[in-house]
Amino acid sequence: HNPSEGNVLVCSEVDGGCYELITFSLTSSSGSVTDGKRGSCMGPACFLGKTRFAVLDRQTRQIVVKNMNNETTKRVQPPVLTVDGIFDGGASGRLILRADDRAILFEVQSRRVLGEVTAPKIKSVIWSPDGSKAAIQCKYGIVIVDKQFEQLCSVTDAVRIKSGAWDSSPTGGTASEIFVYTTINHVKYCLASGDTGTIRTLENPIYAQTVMKDQLFCLDREARTKLIEIDTTEARFKLALSQKKYGQVMHMVKHSRLCGRAIVAYLQSKGFPEVALHFVREPKTRFRLALACGNIDAAIECALTLEQQSESRQGGRDTWGQLGSEALRQGNYQVVEMSYQKTSDFDRLSFLYLITGNIVNLRKMLAIANKRGDIMGRYHNALFLGDAEERVRILEESGNLPLAYISAKLHGLEDDAERIQVAIETCGGSVEGLMEKLSTEPKKASCLLQPPTPIIKATKWPTREVVKTTLEDFEGATESYAEEQVTQNNATDLNDDWENDGYGDTLASGMDDMNLDDDDLGDWGDDLDLGDDMAETKEEVVDEMDGLTNMGESVGYTLPDAGRPPAACWSINSSHAAVHSAAGGVTSALQLLNRQIAVSDFSKLQGAIVGSYLGSFVSVPGVPGSGSMSVPLLSNDVSGHPGDNSLPRTSLKMKNLVNGIRSGYRFFQGGKFNDSKDAFASVLLDIPLVVTDNKNEATEVKEMLEICREYITAIRIKGAIAENSGNPARSTELSAYFTHCNLQPAHLLLALRSAMGTSFKHKNFISAASFARRLLELPDMSSERNADLRVKATKVLQKSEQMARNEHELNYNESSTFSIDCASFLPIYAGANVVNCSYCGSSYAGTSMKGKVCLTCGLSVVGIQTLGLVSGS
């Protein structure tokens, strides 16, 4: 319906689908209803504005826009052909289209798709009162989206969903936040955070219309209105928790009937065990919650209770063991000591005394071990205390006389050593050779083990006192919630006073007289469509003192945000594949290479990618016994650390490319064509992972890319000449094409000499004369070292001019500009259909190579239009 103009669209599925537009007066309650205007449609009809509505044509599946006189003003083709229903889009000029298992937000005026979500079997769309959210009701689920059609959550149910409505309560902060929906037997709720729950059961199905606080206004199957009482305390509790309204949360914990394992499990899963700790009294559950939230005092209280209730000693040991682990994590050594004493864990207790410097208690542990007859306990405590005499005594009493003798000699206890020697010899043994087995070198000689001398003795780790949050303080929660209620009541009273004074009606009537509707602007509407990005938005007023005045709502002390590691910043600061590889983002690096130069065969780049990753870090050895430190190497840290704008150093540089090009030149000059091809191919594989520092280097990299392409093509043609040595016409053609590759002057001289000789040999004198002229025109031919070649070319030119005929017809026209097909090695003249490699630019005639890997570089796909090589960081 259109509440501002008094229009109602009534839709029915009778006769394949129809609608009726009914108009009634809003000013007079006794006014009659105007006869409706009817038409056929597919699915429901929707208002696009105050003076327009839209229907879906059954035959053409087009969106038909009509005015209030039921006259067609526009026809719009939907973005997909399978649209079978339209729904309200939540704003003027927008529709939600139902197509297959999708919901599409479509703007009719600009014909743009603004968003799309997966929603199978859509039944209806319910917008929240403030228009910020929409619930897409499906047959077996609910999908909640925001105004921009971003999915917030999705809920599925085992039974069919009948209806749903948003909470419209004017107070409490739940309006447009809680969505209540009904099934055949239940009333349930759903929050935008994804939390769901059951409110109550039903005897008969109902159809929800409006939710106000704890009242549900609905219709039954006979279309009779009903008012059902519901309890949304659980939903309001979860909503307040997700919105971090901790004052309201604790007020509900104190005054509402929230209990049960489900709520406890929910609070634990959301990371709020301290809330559940307030209303859980069962000792075992309370102990688990106290450990989860780090409340040592509450955990001790529960542990003592569980110890009294426990029938077996093992149950108490487990409880105190868990408490000791948590207390040790927090550095509370007093509780750790008590836990170890309760569990009789003497070994851990001795070590605790050692690391805390409690030498007095460590001596007591030695005495306790002596009374208990624990040989290993005595030895360990003597070792911790550095008591060599006690260790010798323990070894002697336990029958380890050779070890006792060695220990006594090493520690200078000569009297004890003589006594033990007598005992060994009395038993028929000997001490000869015992000390020879020990190394007496200075670096490996034994020394007396002594415990570290404690400098500062403390019972706990140094901790910072944290102010108790509202989640732990009932009084703070009550005061905070009371202040919120007073603020909301004052705001409500102010709005009531404004309306009672009549200013609201006067302002509304004045705005009505101005007739500022933007739904029907004629031709202006088409010219001034600014879209969502230019829409006017209200500026939020930010209270700079809010963080200081509303301390009751804060979570408590939080550590400062940790800085991001350099590798995490690199991929954000650059779109170069080498930078992403250096950061360890191999997946994103491969995606960039595919998008920028259409790379499909990544196996050839494995070495360069691994090198970029390994070359961006240096491993610095640490102190003995510790691991080495990995330090990132930055390229922009000359004037200081760049912080979040850091970029890595990469292993491949311009120098590597220049060396590769020079190697290729050297092998080509010497006739080692396979080695030359490998050198140029290696440069082609390295170029995508080279980061240039300026525009000049970027230009040089692109020139190197062209050089590699031309030389690899020339070498491939040279190989084809050798394969076609028995075909004079084809070998002569290939020799001619060979001279049209963009080579260095010294190498072009070699190509022209070869082509001249091949043509002259096969009696193609016209071609031979052409090559001889080009050869003689080269600047290098004037040098003394090419004197013999100059004489030979002159003779060939004279002989060819005398004969002036070609023995074989060639597919070659030297006067026309052409490029070479890198697959068939045939000329491609201007105007012909051609596709190119997205990376190296190799040309291919026709479309036979489109979608295949380039034969020159072996990396990229031919015929895909891309951005091209990105060389700068």
Side-chain angles (χ1 to χ4, degrees):
H1 72 286
N2 186 351
S4 60
E5 298 294 333
N7 299 318
V8 176
L9 277 171
V10 180
C11 303
S12 174
E13 297 181 356
V14 178
D15 298 332
C18 60
Y19 69 91
E20 183 173 357
L21 177 63
I22 301 174
T23 305
F24 56 90
S25 175
L26 293 175
T27 57
S28 176
S29 59
S30 61
S32 60
V33 178
T34 306
D35 291 338
K37 300 177 179 64
R38 299 176 178 84
S40 62
C41 65
M42 184 178 187
C46 302
F47 283 102
L48 282 175
K50 294 181 180 179
T51 59
R52 298 179 295 166
F53 67 94
V55 297
L56 187 65
D57 190 277
R58 284 187 297 187
Q59 282 75 27
T60 62
R61 299 288 181 95
Q62 289 182 333
I63 300 172
V64 182
V65 181
K66 299 193 175 189
N67 57 21
M68 292 297 104
N69 294 324
N70 204 23
E71 298 171 346
T72 300
T73 60
K74 184 187 293 186
R75 286 181 175 267
V76 179
Q77 185 67 35
V80 293
L81 301 178
T82 56
V83 174
D84 58 358
I86 59 176
F87 302 94
D88 181 19
S92 176
R94 294 183 181 182
L95 294 173
I96 294 177
L97 310 181
R98 178 180 63 195
D100 298 329
D101 289 343
R102 295 178 294 165
I104 303 170
L105 182 61
F106 182 68
E107 189 172 64
V108 177
Q109 188 74 17
S110 60
R111 305 186 183 187
R112 293 185 302 164
V113 174
L114 304 180
E116 181 178 328
V117 296
T118 301
K121 299 179 181 180
I122 301 174
K123 297 298 181 182
S124 63
V125 177
I126 304 101
W127 284 91
S128 61
D130 61 357
S132 62
K133 303 179 188 68
I136 303 176
Q137 178 187 333
C138 305
K139 189 174 182 179
Y140 292 103
I142 299 290
V143 179
I144 296 182
V145 296
D146 60 11
K147 192 174 183 179
Q148 285 73 35
F149 225 59
E150 295 289 337
Q151 181 173 320
L152 301 178
C153 73
S154 178
V155 179
T156 57
D157 210 309
V159 296
R160 290 187 179 183
I161 297 175
K162 295 294 184 180
S163 63
W166 288 93
D167 191 317
S168 304
S169 304
T171 60
T174 59
S176 302
E177 298 292 344
I178 300 176
F179 183 74
V180 177
Y181 64 96
T182 65
T183 62
I184 192 170
N185 291 320
H186 294 94
V187 178
K188 300 183 178 182
Y189 69 88
C190 174
L191 304 180
S193 59
D195 295 319
T196 61
T198 301
I199 297 176
R200 60 166 293 171
T201 58
L202 296 172
E203 295 181 359
N204 298 307
I206 59 173
Y207 299 90
Q209 302 298 317
T210 306
V211 178
M212 297 286 287
K213 293 186 178 179
D214 287 338
Q215 294 180 331
L216 174 61
F217 297 87
C218 57
L219 299 174
D220 60 11
R221 282 187 168 176
E222 286 75 28
R224 293 175 299 189
T225 60
K226 280 191 173 184
L227 177 61
I228 297 179
E229 296 292 333
I230 57 177
D231 184 7
T232 58
T233 303
E234 181 181 322
R236 287 186 281 111
F237 175 77
K238 293 182 179 180
L239 177 63
L241 196 62
S242 65
Q243 294 178 342
K244 297 184 179 180
K245 295 181 178 179
Y246 299 129
Q248 184 178 351
V249 169
M250 298 309 300
H251 183 272
M252 296 179 70
V253 169
K254 187 175 182 181
H255 297 91
S256 302
R257 298 177 61 186
L258 286 170
C259 60
R261 294 183 178 179
I263 288 292
V264 174
Y266 173 80
L267 291 171
Q268 278 191 284
S269 65
K270 293 297 181 179
F272 298 104
E274 62 270 23
V275 179
L277 191 63
H278 284 297
F279 55 87
V280 173
R281 292 292 173 262
E282 198 274 321
K284 192 171 184 179
T285 305
R286 186 175 173 80
F287 175 76
R288 189 174 65 251
L289 292 171
L291 290 182
C293 62
N295 193 332
I296 297 296
D297 295 335
I300 293 175
E301 179 185 348
C302 296
L304 292 173
T305 304
L306 290 172
E307 185 181 25
Q308 295 175 358
Q309 297 177 355
S310 177
E311 297 179 357
S312 62
R313 182 176 176 83
Q314 183 62 32
R317 288 180 59 89
D318 294 341
T319 302
W320 286 106
Q322 296 174 19
L323 178 58
S325 299
E326 177 61 25
L328 185 63
R329 189 184 68 84
Q330 295 188 18
N332 193 332
Y333 294 128
Q334 290 180 336
V335 178
V336 175
E337 180 182 3
M338 180 174 63
S339 300
Y340 289 166
Q341 290 173 353
K342 292 283 187 180
T343 56
S344 300
D345 197 341
F346 298 109
D347 293 338
R348 284 191 172 92
L349 190 58
S350 297
F351 194 75
L352 177 67
Y353 290 146
L354 172 66
I355 63 175
T356 55
N358 197 335
I359 305 300
V360 176
N361 285 358
L362 198 57
R363 295 189 182 281
K364 293 180 180 179
M365 292 301 299
L366 177 61
I368 293 174
N370 193 14
K371 292 180 180 180
R372 293 174 55 243
D374 185 2
I375 297 297
M376 288 304 300
R378 286 178 60 193
Y379 190 81
H380 286 158
N381 284 284
L383 190 64
F384 294 156
L385 288 168
D387 192 343
E389 295 180 357
E390 181 66 21
R391 293 205 300 275
V392 170
R393 189 180 304 112
I394 294 170
L395 291 172
E396 187 178 0
E397 293 177 0
S398 61
N400 294 288
L401 296 179
L403 288 177
Y405 176 77
I406 293 173
S407 181
K409 291 291 289 183
L410 288 176
H411 292 92
L413 302 176
E414 297 297 338
D415 295 339
D416 294 336
E418 292 178 2
R419 186 184 70 253
I420 297 171
Q421 181 179 357
V422 171
I424 292 175
E425 293 175 351
T426 303
C427 297
S430 175
V431 297
E432 294 182 2
L434 288 179
M435 301 303 297
E436 296 177 358
K437 298 178 182 179
L438 301 178
S439 175
T440 57
E441 297 179 8
K443 293 183 179 180
K444 298 183 179 180
S446 303
C447 60
L448 179 63
L449 291 177
Q450 287 286 353
T453 303
I455 301 174
I456 299 175
K457 294 183 179 181
T459 56
K460 296 182 180 179
W461 281 355
T463 55
R464 181 173 180 175
E465 185 177 356
V466 178
V467 180
K468 187 177 290 187
T469 66
T470 54
L471 291 178
E472 301 171 330
D473 188 2
F474 269 130
E475 295 180 1
T478 305
E479 293 176 1
S480 176
Y481 183 70
E483 291 175 2
E484 291 179 4
Q485 292 298 106
V486 171
T487 303
Q488 291 181 3
N489 293 336
N490 291 340
T492 304
D493 295 340
L494 183 60
N495 292 334
D496 294 340
D497 294 341
W498 178 275
E499 294 176 0
N500 294 334
D501 290 341
Y503 292 111
D505 296 336
T506 304
L507 182 61
S509 62
M511 295 299 287
D512 291 340
D513 295 339
M514 293 177 69
N515 192 16
L516 296 178
D517 298 340
D518 60 348
D519 293 318
D520 192 8
L521 299 179
D523 294 337
W524 289 102
D526 293 336
D527 297 334
L528 197 61
D529 182 19
L530 300 180
D532 294 339
D533 297 337
M534 297 293 291
E536 182 180 356
T537 56
K538 293 183 179 180
E539 294 185 0
E540 251 185 67
V541 180
V542 180
D543 185 4
E544 297 180 355
M545 300 297 292
D546 183 62
L548 299 177
T549 55
N550 296 333
M551 293 297 289
E553 290 297 330
S554 63
V555 182
Y557 171 75
T558 56
L559 293 173
D561 295 336
R564 289 184 299 177
C569 305
W570 295 346
S571 57
I572 300 175
N573 297 334
S574 176
S575 59
H576 200 289
V579 177
H580 284 247
S581 300
V586 178
T587 301
S588 61
L590 300 185
Q591 290 175 350
L592 286 173
L593 290 171
N594 179 261
R595 293 169 186 164
Q596 293 169 359
I597 55 176
V599 175
S600 63
D601 187 1
F602 297 103
S603 59
K604 298 180 179 179
L605 297 175
Q606 181 178 356
I609 290 175
V610 173
S612 297
Y613 173 71
L614 296 177
S616 61
F617 287 88
V618 60
S619 183
V620 180
V623 298
S626 65
S628 58
M629 296 176 291
S630 182
V631 180
L633 299 176
L634 305 182
S635 62
N636 57 343
D637 60 347
V638 177
S639 58
H641 197 284
D644 290 345
N645 297 320
S646 64
L647 290 171
R649 294 187 184 183
T650 52
S651 57
L652 293 175
K653 299 292 183 182
M654 288 287 294
K655 183 179 179 181
N656 303 94
L657 302 184
V658 172
N659 292 336
I661 294 290
R662 288 176 178 173
S663 298
Y665 284 162
R666 186 170 60 255
F667 290 133
F668 192 90
Q669 183 77 22
K672 300 178 180 180
F673 296 112
N674 289 332
D675 294 338
S676 178
K677 182 181 178 182
D678 292 340
F680 287 115
S682 177
V683 174
L684 272 182
L685 297 179
D686 291 342
I687 285 177
L689 295 171
V690 172
V691 180
T692 58
D693 296 331
N694 49 58
K695 291 184 178 180
N696 293 334
E697 288 190 355
T699 303
E700 291 177 7
V701 166
K702 293 182 180 179
E703 291 177 357
M704 292 181 185
L705 178 62
E706 295 178 359
I707 290 172
C708 294
R709 180 193 66 211
E710 293 296 326
Y711 272 85
I712 291 176
T713 302
I715 294 171
R716 293 180 61 227
I717 292 176
K718 190 67 176 175
I721 293 174
E723 294 175 358
N724 291 273
S725 58
N727 187 346
R730 181 57 178 163
S731 62
T732 306
E733 281 181 359
L734 292 172
S735 298
Y737 302 152
F738 186 51
T739 65
H740 284 266
C741 294
N742 189 7
L743 307 177
Q744 294 293 316
H747 302 154
L748 180 59
L749 185 148
L750 299 176
L752 287 171
R753 184 180 68 176
S754 175
M756 180 184 68
T758 303
S759 299
F760 191 81
K761 174 184 175 183
H762 294 148
K763 299 181 180 181
N764 274 47
F765 297 109
I766 297 176
S767 300
S770 173
F771 296 136
R773 291 191 193 97
R774 291 175 57 190
L775 185 61
L776 292 172
E777 291 173 357
L778 291 177
D780 290 348
M781 290 297 291
S782 60
S783 64
E784 189 64 28
R785 69 173 181 272
N786 293 324
D788 294 340
L789 179 60
R790 185 169 62 251
V791 172
K792 185 181 295 184
T794 303
K795 291 181 180 180
V796 169
L797 178 60
Q798 292 174 354
K799 181 66 175 178
S800 299
E801 288 176 345
Q802 292 175 2
M803 303 302 296
R805 289 290 185 274
N806 276 343
E807 181 74 18
H808 306 283
E809 184 178 355
L810 304 179
N811 183 11
Y812 172 64
N813 184 2
E814 65 171 338
S815 61
S816 299
T817 304
F818 63 86
S819 58
I820 300 174
D821 188 331
C822 293
S824 61
F825 300 128
L826 294 175
I828 305 175
Y829 295 101
N833 186 19
V834 62
V835 291
N836 299 98
C837 173
S838 305
Y839 170 45
C840 66
S842 298
S843 301
Y844 299 90
T847 59
S848 59
M849 283 295 295
K850 188 173 184 180
K852 298 180 180 179
V853 178
C854 176
L855 300 176
T856 303
C857 63
L859 286 178
S860 301
V861 178
V862 177
I864 297 180
Q865 186 176 2
T866 62
L867 177 66
L869 180 66
V870 175
S871 56
S873 60

